[in-house]
Amino acid sequence: MSNDLIINSTQNGCRIALLKDKNVVEFHYDESGNQFTVGDIYLGTVKKVVPGLNAAFIDIGYEKDAFLHYLDLGPKVSSLNKYTKLVQKNKNVSSKLDRFKILPDINKLGKIAQVLIKGQQILVQVVKEPISTKGPRLSSELSIAGRYLILVPFSNTVSISKKIPNLLERKRLERLLSSIKPENFGIIIRTVAAGKEVAELDRDLRNLVQSWRDGINKLRSAKPRAKVIGEMNRASSILRDVLNESFDSIVTDDSKIFQEVKQFVEKIAPEKSNLVKHYNGKIKLFESYGIEKQLKSLFGQTVSVAGGGYLVIEHTEALHVIDVNSGNKSNAETDQETTALTVNLHAAKEIARQLRLRDMGGIIVIDFIDMKKAENKKLLFSKLKESMKNDRSKFTILPLTKFGLMQITRQRVRPELSITTKETCPTCSGSGKISASILVSDQVEESLEHLLLKKNQKSVTLSVHPFLYAFFTKGIINQRIKWFFKYNQWVGVQKDSSLAITDFRFLDKEGQEISTA
């Protein structure tokens, strides 16, 4: 199975696609300057304490105050608040916690007013990004995530992922990390740490401790709303979590991103640094890997399923609803029960992919095709669990109800990703009428003549729909050859499936659009 991470630079950030066997399984859009990412640690100010909610609203610079519940304070919040004050008042306080006296845990059933007061400054971490009309959700139980470990300040416990079943390996990891961890720092051992040598774990731990020290140095002179410790960009955070798999390539078309990713990979996994590649082909990166076409087909309301079925995906404010339909599969099997099982099993695999791809969170209700046999229902339940095992978000799946519905809750920490798959015709602007498509070649000819002869433009590339690309480039004496003899210069032609069939653009040698006005 091949794994590729493709990073396409855009004007406002970058698009990131994770491919498995050339199929898109994750897609992210990382906006430049995007704040309030999950994992970011801020110096916030308590704006309001609400006893009725047992929570407080914290100002961290977002347009709406962030929400901090009492249960998210963490048992060590008293130690955190004391240390924060000491660092701000005394510039010489060490970032090491070995000499810091940890205070007793707060009462689990206590009240928010016993811990926080209005105007108080507190270190908080974003655990859920702003979604819809809600501000970020915060926690004061700080943690810094690495490739194999998670560092937890003001704690001395060593916890191990429940997904590491081997008892001997669990004991080895616990004994190893307990011996090398700094005092008053807790450790959570991630699943991917299983089988790793002490050198790799120690290197990851050192990087995490250094991130903590850098953050404390910023805190000494930080003002309210300041970001003290920032989570890495989306591309690097994905690499940190999935680089443990068998990767074939990490490709980007931006030189700056290439250097950043290369340095990050050299830091966390030097043996994999040769997988990072800089793409400079003439065809757009997402076009070259067939991602653009996949995105258009995967983010629609209706999604095709292998074997002939299809899904209808609807979104509401409260939940997501997925309806499974058999389509033309209904005549492929011998009886109704077999047909329903076959379609449902194919649908389960695609649903797992869609949840991860769109980052759908909250409550998801799936209306599978009705089945009567209990063993078939059990098989479908197992298939969906198996298909979702690689999902990095926390989730819970309930068995089929007697109405054929399956319910899933999936952790939502950032807004759901949505891509518009329906296009407004660039020529008719939605009126339903366009100029005759047979005239588009004449329009291209007129615009090209204007650019080359009247504006003296050099190194021009024509970007068109794949159908037009074929029209202009196929054949021995094609239109591009005719242009060469007519204008005495070569005109590049590239296909772009994001364009409508009658739309076209001219680009200069830097890839910037040229105005034909």
Side-chain angles (χ1 to χ4, degrees):
M1 178 180 287
S2 63
N3 293 284
D4 304 281
L5 190 71
I6 313 299
I7 308 169
N8 167 228
S9 177
T10 66
Q11 187 175 359
N12 299 318
C14 64
R15 298 188 297 170
I16 306 161
L18 178 62
L19 308 184
K20 283 189 182 292
D21 290 335
K22 299 183 179 180
N23 293 318
V24 181
V25 293
E26 280 191 36
F27 180 74
H28 303 270
Y29 185 69
D30 192 10
E31 290 186 81
S32 55
N34 183 36
Q35 291 183 306
F36 315 109
T37 303
V38 172
D40 285 347
I41 298 176
Y42 286 85
L43 179 61
T45 304
V46 179
K47 299 297 286 186
K48 188 189 299 183
V49 176
V50 186
L53 297 175
N54 204 16
F57 287 93
I58 313 294
D59 178 18
I60 59 172
Y62 188 65
E63 58 189 31
K64 290 192 174 183
D65 291 336
F67 183 79
L68 175 63
H69 193 271
Y70 182 85
L71 296 177
D72 293 321
L73 289 173
K76 304 295 183 182
V77 67
S78 299
S79 299
L80 174 65
N81 288 341
K82 178 184 175 182
Y83 183 75
T84 302
K85 288 181 181 178
L86 288 174
V87 171
Q88 289 181 308
K89 290 180 180 179
N90 186 351
K91 308 299 183 184
N92 296 321
V93 173
S94 173
S95 57
K96 296 181 180 179
L97 301 178
D98 53 347
R99 297 180 183 176
F100 180 78
K101 185 178 180 182
I102 302 293
L103 299 178
D105 294 359
I106 62 171
N107 185 357
K108 291 182 180 180
L109 303 176
K111 301 297 182 183
I112 192 81
Q114 297 171 339
V115 181
L116 300 179
I117 60 172
K118 184 177 180 181
Q120 177 181 345
Q121 292 185 7
I122 180 173
L123 280 180
V124 287
Q125 186 167 31
V126 178
V127 294
K128 182 182 283 189
E129 294 178 14
I131 298 175
S132 186
T133 59
K134 300 176 182 177
R137 179 150 187 167
L138 307 175
S139 170
S140 285
E141 196 165 9
L142 308 184
S143 61
I144 307 173
R147 189 181 182 199
Y148 303 118
L149 310 170
I150 298 174
L151 187 70
V152 185
F154 309 104
S155 173
N156 276 298
T157 59
V158 175
S159 304
I160 306 175
S161 168
K162 294 179 181 178
K163 294 182 181 180
I164 301 179
N166 188 297
L167 186 59
L168 291 176
E169 179 62 12
R170 292 176 69 88
K171 288 182 177 179
R172 182 189 78 91
L173 290 171
E174 184 177 9
R175 184 173 62 252
L176 181 62
L177 270 302
S178 296
S179 65
I180 64 174
K181 79 172 187 67
E183 189 177 348
N184 289 337
F185 282 97
I187 297 290
I188 300 174
I189 303 173
R190 305 181 74 175
T191 308
V192 292
K196 300 302 176 184
E197 298 295 328
V198 62
E200 293 181 274
L201 300 175
D202 183 59
R203 182 175 60 199
D204 196 35
L205 180 58
R206 288 174 183 271
N207 290 337
L208 295 176
V209 172
Q210 187 58 49
S211 296
W212 167 259
R213 289 175 179 171
D214 293 342
I216 295 305
N217 289 333
K218 284 185 181 179
L219 178 62
R220 300 185 196 282
S221 57
K223 296 182 179 179
R225 298 182 171 187
K227 185 190 292 186
V228 176
I229 299 177
E231 172 71 346
M232 59 191 66
N233 60 45
R234 192 69 57 84
S236 296
S237 65
I238 294 171
L239 276 173
R240 179 191 65 199
D241 293 339
V242 302
L243 193 59
N244 306 285
E245 302 175 27
S246 177
F247 259 80
D248 292 284
S249 63
I250 303 162
V251 185
T252 179
D253 56 3
D254 184 270
S255 56
K256 183 179 179 182
I257 295 176
F258 170 75
Q259 292 298 333
E260 289 177 354
V261 171
K262 183 117 179 145
Q263 290 173 7
F264 178 73
V265 174
E266 286 175 347
K267 182 179 178 182
I268 67 166
E271 73 281 1
K272 296 181 180 288
S273 61
N274 62 333
L275 298 180
V276 185
K277 300 171 185 175
H278 186 214
Y279 178 84
N280 52 13
K282 293 183 178 179
I283 303 174
K284 288 183 177 181
L285 179 58
F286 269 30
E287 288 282 352
S288 175
Y289 281 82
I291 298 171
E292 206 76 65
K293 184 178 179 181
Q294 287 191 58
L295 294 179
K296 290 293 184 182
S297 64
L298 290 170
F299 279 86
Q301 183 183 23
T302 303
V303 179
S304 298
V305 173
Y310 65 94
L311 309 175
V312 179
I313 304 175
E314 297 278 0
H315 309 283
T316 71
E317 184 68 25
L319 48 81
H320 309 277
V321 180
I322 302 176
D323 184 33
V324 180
N325 296 276
S326 60
N328 59 12
K329 183 70 179 175
S330 55
N331 297 322
E333 305 293 350
T334 55
D335 60 81
Q336 184 178 351
E337 183 76 9
T338 308
T339 298
L341 177 62
T342 304
V343 174
N344 284 341
L345 291 177
H346 283 303
K349 186 175 180 180
E350 182 60 35
I351 287 168
R353 181 188 181 195
Q354 286 290 326
L355 297 183
R356 189 175 173 188
L357 186 65
R358 302 186 188 210
D359 205 4
M360 293 164 63
I363 301 173
I364 301 111
V365 178
I366 307 167
D367 183 10
F368 283 105
I369 301 173
D370 289 340
M371 298 183 297
K372 295 181 180 179
K373 295 182 179 179
E375 60 267 28
N376 289 342
K377 293 181 180 180
K378 188 176 181 180
L379 179 62
L380 176 60
F381 179 63
S382 300
K383 177 68 174 179
L384 188 57
K385 287 180 68 175
E386 172 69 19
S387 300
M388 289 187 68
K389 71 177 183 180
N390 291 325
D391 197 322
R392 291 183 288 126
S393 293
K394 296 177 183 177
F395 62 87
T396 302
I397 308 175
L398 298 181
L400 279 167
T401 68
K402 63 180 181 180
F403 297 118
L405 302 177
M406 188 175 289
Q407 301 167 67
I408 301 174
T409 59
R410 186 174 181 273
Q411 182 186 26
R412 177 166 62 176
V413 296
R414 56 179 59 91
E416 180 195 348
L417 188 62
S418 178
I419 294 178
T420 302
T421 56
K422 294 182 179 179
E423 302 172 353
T424 300
C425 174
T427 309
C428 75
S429 299
S431 67
K433 295 181 180 180
I434 64 172
S435 58
S437 57
I438 197 172
L439 300 178
V440 69
S441 60
D442 294 337
Q443 295 169 357
V444 170
E445 184 74 46
E446 290 173 6
S447 299
L448 189 60
E449 183 176 341
H450 174 71
L451 288 175
L452 299 182
L453 299 183
K454 295 183 180 179
K455 299 184 73 173
N456 295 318
Q457 190 76 40
K458 302 295 183 184
S459 302
V460 173
T461 298
L462 172 65
S463 183
V464 291
H465 187 276
F467 288 167
L468 283 178
Y469 174 84
F471 174 77
F472 287 130
T473 59
K474 297 300 180 184
I476 300 175
I477 309 297
N478 56 49
Q479 188 63 48
R480 188 161 48 172
I481 298 295
K482 293 178 182 178
W483 287 338
F484 178 74
F485 287 114
K486 181 177 180 179
Y487 301 115
N488 200 29
Q489 65 171 287
W490 186 255
V491 177
V493 182
Q494 69 179 28
K495 49 188 171 183
D496 186 348
S497 57
S498 66
L499 295 174
I501 192 169
T502 57
D503 201 12
F504 58 90
R505 296 188 301 163
F506 290 102
L507 310 175
D508 60 21
K509 59 183 179 180
E510 278 81 32
Q512 302 298 318
E513 186 172 357
I514 306 170
S515 173
T516 56

